[in-house]
Amino acid sequence: MNLSAITRSGARSLGGDGGRLMPRARIGGPMPWVIAIMIALTVQATGAGLALNNLAGNAQSQISGGLTVQIIEAAPAAREQQTTAAMAFFQARSDVADLRRVPESEVAALLEPWLGAEVEAEDGLPVPALIDIQLRGEVTVPVLRALRDELAVQVPAARLDAQANWLAPVFDAIRSLQWLAAGLVILLAMTSIAAVGLAARSALGSNRETIDIVHHLGGSDGQIAGIFQRSIATDAALGGLAGLLLGLAAILALGQQFGALGSGLIAGGGLNLVDWIIIACIPIAGVALAVLTARMTVLAALRKMV
């Protein structure tokens, strides 16, 4: 009997599909379900990270050139006069793409949760006039400083702020959540590697006598590792598909919940085609990682058996 025949005989003694090496029925054992849970959580974490990245990018692009002018003046007549002067100041500039005075009703609506309705009429509190401005370029620190200096000469009661400064704490929180999502993906990958390695070592330990026989029949470490790889690949594929479906269902459900809020900021966090492709590749990466882990674990253990 030649070497290839001996090898085939050894492989048959191990079970061509790896079933005898793995001490449980494939679909009934824990490994597919463990992988499914890991993939589902990874899909959700990746989807959240990508959505946060899109949300931050869209928000920053929209407000990168945004400015807000507040006319803080107690006397109504003087406040109106300085508001008109501020409007004329920005209308004369070529770098202003859009200019809008915020209606008093909108300002009152913004203040109502804190100060109540009709605060100026009932409580004698002056409501500042607001002007929204959109520049053609990004609002940098030198640009903002120069505008403040020029505006202060003509409109002493004006306060000029970049809209991006107001949302800086929001962007910091988004970046923290992105790092948290990335850390969760890495942690899940490490957990999956540990689970696959543990399963491979357990199968090796429970089938050591059979493996010794195959070695004596001429079977190589690579051929034995291949049997484990096929078994793990099948488990990982089944678990990866189930995990992908569970993860996508969770993403779609959360997307509908956030979409119902009707917020323009949240609407910028939708996933695009590239994001969906990245998410769809997660089970493929999971299968590849599981197979590689199983092979390296089995080969390392077999070298110690020799």
Side-chain angles (χ1 to χ4, degrees):
M1 182 181 295
N2 57 31
L3 180 59
S4 61
I6 293 176
T7 300
R8 288 193 298 270
S9 175
R12 284 194 298 270
S13 69
L14 286 170
D17 61 354
R20 297 181 186 177
L21 283 177
M22 307 304 286
R24 78 289 187 278
R26 176 169 292 122
I27 195 62
M31 186 52 57
W33 305 112
V34 170
I35 294 177
I37 294 172
M38 297 300 176
I39 293 296
L41 293 175
T42 303
V43 166
Q44 294 175 47
T46 303
L50 294 172
L52 289 171
N53 182 67
N54 293 340
L55 187 151
N58 291 332
Q60 286 179 335
S61 65
Q62 291 177 7
I63 68 173
S64 61
L67 294 170
T68 298
V69 177
Q70 300 180 63
I71 309 298
I72 304 175
E73 175 60 53
R79 183 169 66 246
E80 183 65 27
Q81 181 183 4
Q82 295 205 37
T83 302
T84 302
M87 293 283 292
F89 171 80
F90 285 103
Q91 286 173 346
R93 297 185 62 92
S94 60
D95 57 348
V96 175
D98 190 27
L99 179 68
R100 184 182 78 98
R101 178 175 179 176
V102 180
E104 293 183 2
S105 58
E106 292 187 21
V107 178
L110 293 173
L111 296 176
E112 184 175 351
W114 291 272
L115 302 180
E118 301 178 357
V119 290
E120 184 174 5
E122 294 184 1
D123 303 326
L125 296 176
V127 177
L130 297 182
I131 303 173
D132 280 342
I133 302 159
Q134 184 68 36
L135 298 184
R136 300 186 188 278
E138 183 178 357
V139 179
T140 61
V141 174
V143 169
L144 183 60
R145 186 182 298 116
L147 283 172
R148 282 173 174 170
D149 294 340
E150 295 178 24
L151 184 62
V153 175
Q154 301 186 30
V155 189
R159 178 182 298 173
L160 180 64
D161 293 303
Q163 295 176 3
N165 294 340
W166 294 4
L167 291 179
V170 177
F171 291 136
D172 291 341
I174 290 175
R175 280 191 291 269
S176 299
L177 291 174
Q178 286 180 286
W179 282 111
L180 179 62
L184 181 58
V185 170
I186 294 173
L187 181 62
L188 289 169
M190 295 175 62
T191 305
S192 299
I193 291 173
V196 172
L198 181 62
R201 285 192 294 270
S202 176
L204 278 171
S206 60
N207 292 273
R208 179 159 187 168
E209 294 182 359
T210 307
I211 293 173
D212 288 338
I213 294 175
V214 174
H215 272 147
H216 292 146
L217 292 175
S220 66
D221 290 350
Q223 291 167 330
I224 296 173
I227 296 174
F228 283 88
Q229 286 178 233
R230 288 191 294 272
S231 180
I232 290 293
T234 303
D235 285 346
L238 292 172
L241 179 59
L244 177 62
L245 295 177
L246 290 173
L248 290 177
I251 290 176
L252 293 175
L254 289 174
Q256 290 180 350
Q257 292 293 326
F258 283 107
L261 297 177
S263 171
L265 181 64
I266 299 237
L271 300 177
N272 54 43
L273 178 60
V274 176
D275 297 333
W276 289 115
I277 292 175
I278 293 175
I279 291 175
C281 290
I282 291 176
I284 300 175
V287 172
L289 183 64
V291 170
L292 180 62
T293 300
R295 181 173 183 82
M296 294 178 63
T297 301
V298 171
L299 289 177
L302 289 175
R303 281 192 292 268
K304 295 179 181 179
M305 290 183 182
V306 177

